[in-house]
């Protein structure tokens, strides 16, 4: 809950809490209500206090009550540590050992039986994972890096940025998901300059294509070759219209030439089920849809269109034909 290192938790003073100066008594739910002082064991001169909420305060008070009961302390009596070693420690001058701490966390993990998306048990026997969780939670919530740096007790922002780097793929995925578009070629309402910034989130200029932009997140790779026109992640704008028209014409010319050669060699043209022809026809349909979508825009438009050619893919075309045939039969 606090993101402290194991040693910082185990060596905590029996009374680690102090008031926050000037704090209003009416703290909203989830707000910080006290300062927690911990033993900064790794970095000299680093901060050793953090603000904590009522949940942490309640846990500390519960632990203090348990220690007082088991060490037979009076209401005003204290010992050295909040988490004292439970054996061979009559006067409470020794803190709990890290090995015991990790062992209890491991047992706790098995008791909870929490599993990841692959069904693997989530083990917290290495308690530093909890520190990582706290750090990434703060960054995900929008806390400034310098605030997270102070909270974690880091001397430099570079150390904190290691946690921020682990969120790069998440941030890119969520950013790309902000584009509210469908597979029917609706405009995403994004200026091409914003599109350029978007595809360069990670300096991935290789996602700028001769006929548009690839919106595939930088953490993923594409193995579909030149099948961009029917791809959900392909976007383009009116500046690329001449390139797409030229590619469309060249593809149509290529198909006509191959059909002629096929007829000369085998005595009949390629059937629509031919693997090569099926793919070329899908590309032609997708490019025709893109051309139509771009031609409807004003000549000076900078709005990008995403997934305009998706309906040209074989699967969508077959579904559309079936729907048309069904509608005709009802008529």
């Amino acid at each position: 809950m606090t993101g402290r290192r194991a040693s910082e938790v185990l060596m905590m003073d029996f009374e680690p809490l102090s008031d926050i100066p000037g704090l209003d008594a009416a703290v909203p739910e989830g707000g910080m209500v006290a300062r927690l002082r911990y033993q900064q064991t790794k970095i000299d001169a680093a901060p050793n206090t953090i603000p904590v909420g009522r949940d942490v305060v309640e846990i500390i008070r519960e632990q203090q009550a348990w220690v007082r009961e088991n060490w037979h302390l009076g209401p005003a009596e204290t010992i050295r540590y909040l988490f004292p070693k439970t054996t061979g420690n009559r006067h409470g001058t020794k803190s709990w050992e890290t090995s015991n701490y990790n062992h209890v966390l491991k047992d706790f993990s098995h008791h909870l039986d929490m599993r990841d998306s692959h069904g693997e048990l989530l083990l917290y026997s290495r308690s530093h994972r909890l520190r990582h969780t706290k750090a990434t939670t703060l960054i995900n919530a929008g806390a400034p890096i310098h605030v997270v740096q102070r909270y974690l007790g880091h001397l430099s922002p570079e150390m904190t940025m290691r946690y921020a780097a682990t969120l790069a793929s998440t941030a890119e995925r969520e950013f790309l998901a902000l584009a509210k578009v469908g597979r029917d070629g609706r405009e995403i309402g994004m200026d091409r300059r914003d599109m350029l910034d978007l595809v360069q989130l990670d300096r991935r200029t290789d996602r700028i294509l001769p006929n548009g932009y690839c919106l595939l997140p930088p953490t993923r790779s594409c193995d579909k070759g030149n099948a961009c026109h029917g791809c959900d992640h392909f976007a383009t704008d009116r500046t690329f219209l001449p390139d797409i028209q030229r590619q469309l014409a060249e593809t149509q010319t290529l198909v006509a030439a191959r059909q002629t050669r096929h007829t000369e060699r085998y005595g009949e043209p390629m059937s629509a089920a031919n693997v090569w022809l099926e793919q070329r026809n899908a590309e032609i349909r997708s490019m025709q849809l893109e051309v139509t979508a771009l031609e409807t825009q004003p000549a000076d438009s900078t709005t990008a269109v995403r997934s305009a050619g998706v309906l040209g893919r074989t699967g969508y075309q077959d579904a559309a034909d079936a729907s048309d045939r069904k509608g005709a039969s009802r008529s």
Side-chain angles (χ1 to χ4, degrees), residues 169 171-182 186-202 204-209 211-222 228-229 231-237 240 304-308 310:
S169 59
E172 289 157 357
R173 183 178 66 250
E174 295 303 321
F175 185 83
L176 292 172
L178 291 176
K180 299 183 181 302
V181 295
R186 288 176 295 166
E187 296 179 356
I188 64 175
M190 182 176 290
D191 188 277
R192 74 168 67 95
R193 291 164 296 184
D194 296 327
M195 183 71 69
L196 186 63
D197 290 339
L198 186 149
V199 299
Q200 288 185 318
L201 282 174
D202 196 28
R204 296 301 299 269
T205 54
D206 56 310
R207 300 303 171 100
I208 303 173
L209 310 175
N211 47 19
Y213 309 99
C214 175
L215 302 187
L216 195 68
T219 55
R220 292 177 54 187
S221 59
C222 176
C228 297
H229 294 288
C231 179
D232 298 356
H233 298 285
F234 179 71
T236 188
D237 59 49
F240 292 104
V305 176
R306 177 176 176 178
S307 308
V310 167

Side-chain angles (χ1 to χ4, degrees), residues 81-102:
Y81 294 107
L82 179 63
F83 297 100
K85 184 180 179 182
T86 54
T87 59
N89 191 25
R90 181 179 178 182
H91 300 290
T93 57
K94 301 175 184 177
S95 66
W96 224 33
E97 297 173 346
T98 304
S99 58
N100 289 337
Y101 180 67
N102 291 334

